[in-house]
Amino acid sequence: MKNELNFINPSELSFRLSSGNLMELSYKGEDMGRVALLRMFPFMYEDEYISIRCENYSRADKEQEIGIIRSLNELSEEQAQLVRGELKKRYFVPDILSVNEVKEELGHISWNVVTSAGDREFTVTDMSSNIRSVDSKRVMLTDIYGNRYYIPDVTLLDDKTLKIIEIWI
């Protein structure tokens, strides 16, 4: 097992979108096909430490890392925009702006909230795994379908919302 980071020379990368709007990559002149882009530190460094992975088709359950982009600023503006667009799709996480109601029933916690993407209702189970403090101000919630919701700063929430959620976070 390798314990060192494999930073990629940005001049050796060429991203493109397939006809199906999937991210593909040429690396060192070799067509790598479809790739996945993941932020290694999604809450701290949105444009830094981006892992590039391709599927290993001999073992469909395993992804293989090609390498890491240290910073999107190292890419051309066109390439950086392609990568940002792909990351935006993967990391669509609406901010919770206010909470209308939270109810618990049989171990399921139902949330009725207003988010940056509109009104949402979702259910959370297993509070210890699915309601996580990122730090003293930020909270991430994951619903039963794996959708994520984010409170960027609990200190900025209105008093009504704070009163409703204080038991849960």
Side-chain angles (χ1 to χ4, degrees):
M1 181 175 170
K2 244 171 45 167
N3 287 331
E4 58 188 63
L5 298 177
N6 177 25
F7 289 108
I8 292 179
N9 179 343
S11 67
E12 298 176 326
L13 298 171
S14 179
F15 292 101
R16 66 189 174 280
L17 291 177
S18 72
S19 59
N21 213 27
L22 301 172
M23 183 63 74
E24 295 180 337
L25 171 70
S26 291
Y27 177 53
K28 294 183 178 180
E30 181 183 342
D31 182 14
M32 305 301 291
R34 184 175 171 200
V35 293
L37 303 172
L38 294 97
R39 290 182 175 126
M40 296 175 73
F41 302 99
F43 298 108
M44 297 180 75
Y45 304 110
E46 288 188 6
D47 283 355
E48 297 176 58
Y49 306 105
I50 308 300
S51 173
I52 305 170
R53 299 177 186 198
C54 68
E55 292 188 28
N56 179 346
Y57 291 105
S58 63
R59 286 199 49 201
D61 62 335
K62 184 177 180 181
E63 289 182 343
Q64 199 171 28
E65 186 172 76
I66 296 167
I68 300 165
I69 301 170
R70 187 182 305 270
S71 172
L72 295 186
N73 293 333
E74 297 175 342
L75 300 175
S76 71
E77 187 56 34
E78 178 187 337
Q79 290 286 288
Q81 289 298 4
L82 274 174
V83 170
R84 283 186 186 104
E86 188 69 15
L87 290 169
K88 188 174 180 180
K89 287 189 277 186
R90 176 178 282 278
Y91 291 97
F92 174 71
V93 181
D95 290 350
I96 294 176
L97 306 174
S98 65
V99 177
N100 299 320
E101 183 178 37
V102 178
K103 294 188 298 189
E104 181 178 16
E105 187 175 328
L106 301 171
H108 292 76
I109 305 154
S110 299
W111 293 73
N112 180 316
V113 301
V114 177
T115 74
S116 55
D119 294 350
R120 296 284 190 264
E121 291 186 19
F122 60 91
T123 302
V124 173
T125 59
D126 187 14
M127 279 185 15
S128 62
S129 295
N130 295 312
I131 301 177
R132 301 188 144 233
S133 292
V134 177
D135 59 27
S136 64
K137 293 182 179 182
R138 300 181 293 171
V139 177
M140 179 67 67
L141 294 92
T142 307
D143 73 10
I144 58 174
Y145 301 108
N147 300 310
R148 294 170 296 192
Y149 301 86
Y150 183 57
I151 302 174
D153 188 341
V154 293
T155 65
L156 298 178
L157 295 172
D158 61 78
D159 290 339
K160 176 187 170 231
T161 295
L162 284 171
K163 189 170 183 132
I164 291 171
I165 68 170
E166 68 185 349
I167 190 172
W168 307 108
I169 60 170

